[in-house]
Amino acid sequence: MANGTAQNSITLRTDAWWISPLITAIVLGSFGIYSTWRAFSNVDFLVQPYLSPFYSPYILASWWPFSPALLILWAPLGFRATCYYYRKAYYRSFFLAPPGCAVKPLAKEGSYTGESKFPFIIQNIHRYFFYAAGVVLFFLWVDAFHALWFADGFGIGLGTIILFVNVLLLSMYSLSCHSFRHLVGGKLDVFSKCPTRFRLWEKVSGWNENHMLWAWVSLFSVALADLYIFLLAKGIITDVRFI
Amino acid sequence: MSVAKLRIYRGDSDGGQEVEYEVPVEEGTVVLDAIHFVQANYDGDLAVRWNCKAGKCGSCSAEINGMPKLTCKTRLDTLPLDKPITVHPLKTFPIIKDLVTDVSWNYEVRKKIPPFKYPEDTDWKMQQVDVERSQEFRKCIECYLCQDVCHVLRNHNKKNEFFGPRMMIKIAELEMHPLDIEDRKEMLREAAGIGYCNITKCCTDVCPESIHITDNAIIPLKERVADTYFDPLQWIIAKVKGS
């Protein structure tokens, strides 16, 4: 501790600083448990014309004995795990590094290496997970349009709307990514020589201001989209057809 | 007129303790006013550093109820007055006396940052669009609240390995300048230790100038370091472009 004489307690904060990391831990933890269960279950993910986002794109490979979800979920999982917003969220909530501002972290003084050493140095390849998640996102758009075609022809069901809202929110989460913001124009020092990239950077910067919001709503939407299809497959609910 | 109880840290490098004072609360009274009241009416030798009392000199930084804040911008009526308000010196820096700490480490680190370097034939014409990004960082008043709250410096005492958020925005200001030709990426990764930052955003939370330290400075710098050290695709693109 630099100023050993002044403060030795965990924190002198008097506000409820612990509520935010606690809620984050509960919600992220719940999503982790739910998505792991659904990814490994390998059932109740397809009700024509709806495909669960956890299983998209649906890969049927004879050489793969496990759930096909495991072949693709590494991409969105890696994208979220290395996301600059989620890093803040889970470093605070799960690693207590630190749990709150001006609150003593869990790690002992001097033992901390942050993202300068393995394993967290891997966070530097966030952009590659962005590319991989982009491929999955493309297939989610394909699935959303596929959800317009029922056995009796064109139609719109509640599932169609859910899949479209989900893919739209996932797109906003992806397009507001800090790495994308950098690649699209942030890396430039002279914007005036690249006006198109500057306009793109401005647009992405605007979306990026709400990256946390997109991160949360897209997390909820992907879970709800899967849950809706699961409940349909189980016969617990029936789809509502609007057209 | 209501009364607030202030528990102000009194001591020096050998140790100290909180001393409680009662101060009157009028509309608009800030913590610095209350400290001045204590100086004038109770203890004339209470040490506090201040200058402008307008949130622009960055001198009166302290920890109020455990959170790093400017005492001149913190109104008493924004704090819970039913409990004593604690006022401590900045924890990250060595204490000199009472609320005054030795922040000279920051000036020493500042000297390690390579200064602005321009091409010999510079005509000094710049577009507003090119300098706007750097201008945000020039709002910094060097209050060092961000340095104080950063857990890398505050709790892990990595002053030999990490320059801290204030220096990151200084580096960002120079790196993003349209005329600057100095390359600071190796220094960012090595001496400045940008990998130690784990994006928990406390620096942004406490900045009295509302500078987006993490989103607009540290993350873009991390991305620039990733371009150079962690992204083979960028290496190929740079090779093809001949840069």
Side-chain angles (χ1 to χ4, degrees):
Chain A
M1 188 167 64
N3 187 347
T5 55
Q7 296 173 30
N8 288 306
S9 57
I10 291 173
T11 184
L12 290 176
R13 285 181 65 172
T14 52
D15 58 329
W17 57 268
W18 47 271
I19 288 180
S20 174
L22 179 66
I23 292 172
T24 303
I26 291 169
V27 176
L28 273 185
S30 303
F31 178 81
I33 292 166
Y34 175 79
S35 57
T36 304
W37 166 61
R38 288 292 290 145
F40 278 91
S41 67
N42 201 14
V43 289
D44 303 323
F45 56 83
L46 179 63
V47 178
Q48 288 296 351
Y50 308 139
L51 174 63
S52 161
F54 287 162
Y55 287 80
S56 176
Y58 186 39
I59 301 171
L60 266 177
S62 57
W63 48 267
W64 184 253
F66 309 107
S67 166
L70 303 179
L71 288 170
I72 45 113
L73 280 185
W74 61 269
L77 175 67
F79 183 47
R80 288 194 188 255
T82 58
C83 163
Y84 284 102
Y85 166 68
Y86 281 113
R87 275 144 80 171
K88 171 195 167 185
Y90 65 72
Y91 283 138
R92 283 195 187 191
S93 300
F94 292 101
F95 293 91
L96 311 180
C101 300
V103 180
K104 194 175 180 179
L106 183 66
K108 287 181 186 169
E109 179 182 330
S111 63
Y112 173 84
T113 56
E115 299 179 347
S116 64
K117 298 266 184 341
F118 185 81
F120 295 116
I121 198 169
I122 292 170
Q123 310 280 28
N124 284 295
I125 60 166
H126 178 52
R127 60 188 64 180
Y128 282 91
F129 285 112
F130 168 77
Y131 302 144
V135 174
V136 174
L137 188 63
F138 168 78
F139 285 102
L140 289 174
W141 274 106
V142 172
D143 291 341
F145 280 100
H146 180 71
L148 290 166
W149 297 97
F150 293 78
D152 56 349
F154 177 82
I156 295 176
L158 182 57
T160 314
I161 293 168
I162 288 172
L163 289 182
F164 266 105
V165 169
N166 176 50
V167 75
L168 191 67
L169 294 175
L170 285 170
S171 299
M172 287 311 300
Y173 170 57
S174 302
L175 294 174
S176 61
C177 164
H178 289 85
S179 285
F180 183 57
R181 183 187 182 214
H182 169 76
L183 294 166
V184 84
K187 64 191 295 180
L188 300 172
D189 289 337
V190 187
F191 284 137
S192 55
K193 288 182 179 170
C194 306
T196 306
R197 289 185 72 180
F198 171 64
R199 280 195 292 274
L200 273 169
W201 176 80
E202 271 196 316
K203 183 63 79 180
V204 175
S205 296
W207 295 332
N208 179 260
E209 286 179 20
N210 295 310
H211 193 51
M212 181 182 81
L213 174 71
W214 299 122
W216 280 116
V217 295
S218 64
L219 190 81
F220 291 132
S221 74
V222 78
L224 287 173
D226 175 79
L227 179 65
Y228 183 76
I229 292 163
F230 170 74
L231 294 175
L232 285 181
K234 280 286 183 197
I236 298 170
I237 59 173
T238 51
D239 191 33
V240 180
R241 281 285 294 272
F242 301 107
I243 298 176
Chain B
M1 185 190 302
S2 59
V3 170
K5 285 182 180 173
L6 253 63
R7 282 190 188 155
I8 302 176
Y9 185 84
R10 303 293 316 270
D12 54 26
S13 57
D14 294 326
Q17 60 187 0
E18 288 177 354
V19 178
E20 191 166 297
Y21 304 96
E22 285 194 353
V23 296
V25 181
E26 295 176 36
E27 188 180 0
T29 303
V30 294
V31 173
L32 185 57
D33 291 327
I35 292 168
H36 285 161
F37 184 88
V38 171
Q39 278 184 325
N41 296 279
Y42 301 113
D43 285 335
D45 64 342
L46 170 63
V48 58
R49 186 186 283 128
W50 70 285
N51 191 3
C52 75
K53 204 175 171 293
K56 287 296 166 193
C57 73
S59 304
C60 65
S61 302
E63 302 196 1
I64 301 162
N65 279 350
M67 274 300 280
K69 290 178 179 179
L70 293 181
T71 57
C72 73
K73 282 185 76 174
T74 308
R75 288 173 61 139
L76 286 181
D77 57 14
T78 64
L79 302 168
L81 297 178
D82 55 328
K83 288 178 281 190
I85 298 161
T86 61
V87 186
H88 277 237
L90 301 180
K91 175 183 162 74
T92 301
F93 304 108
I95 191 168
I96 297 174
K97 186 175 186 298
D98 302 336
L99 300 177
V100 178
T101 52
D102 178 5
V103 295
S104 60
W105 171 80
N106 295 287
Y107 305 122
E108 296 307 314
V109 176
R110 172 69 183 82
K111 290 176 194 167
K112 295 178 184 172
I113 300 172
F116 178 68
K117 185 178 171 185
Y118 54 92
E120 282 186 9
D121 55 348
T122 303
D123 66 1
W124 298 105
K125 285 180 184 171
M126 289 170 275
Q127 302 293 315
Q128 180 62 29
V129 73
D130 294 329
V131 293
E132 264 173 357
R133 250 192 319 181
S134 291
Q135 284 176 336
E136 179 190 6
F137 309 134
R138 295 182 72 90
K139 291 193 300 179
C140 176
I141 58 173
E142 297 203 311
C143 61
Y144 302 124
L145 292 177
C146 58
Q147 302 284 78
D148 180 53
V149 81
C150 174
H151 70 110
V152 183
L153 303 173
R154 179 186 183 90
N155 302 104
H156 299 293
N157 202 17
K158 297 280 186 186
K159 292 198 181 77
N160 292 327
E161 290 132 286
F162 183 54
F163 282 9
R166 188 294 173 256
M167 301 308 153
M168 292 298 157
I169 64 170
K170 184 65 200 172
I171 297 169
E173 176 197 324
L174 294 165
E175 279 292 292
M176 295 175 188
H177 194 288
L179 296 182
D180 180 77
I181 55 170
E182 181 70 50
D183 187 349
R184 299 172 187 81
K185 287 191 277 295
E186 185 182 351
M187 184 207 62
L188 266 171
R189 192 183 175 206
E190 302 294 338
I194 195 168
Y196 279 95
C197 172
N198 68 345
I199 320 290
T200 41
K201 286 197 173 183
C202 291
C203 51
T204 304
D205 289 350
V206 301
C207 180
E209 286 294 312
S210 302
I211 300 170
H212 295 87
I213 300 172
T214 320
D215 287 316
N216 288 352
I218 296 178
I219 292 174
L221 289 178
K222 273 182 175 266
E223 287 295 312
R224 287 179 183 221
V225 169
D227 281 348
T228 306
Y229 295 101
F230 299 99
D231 188 350
L233 197 59
Q234 293 297 320
W235 303 342
I236 294 167
I237 292 170
K239 199 84 173 171
V240 170
K241 283 184 173 177
S243 58

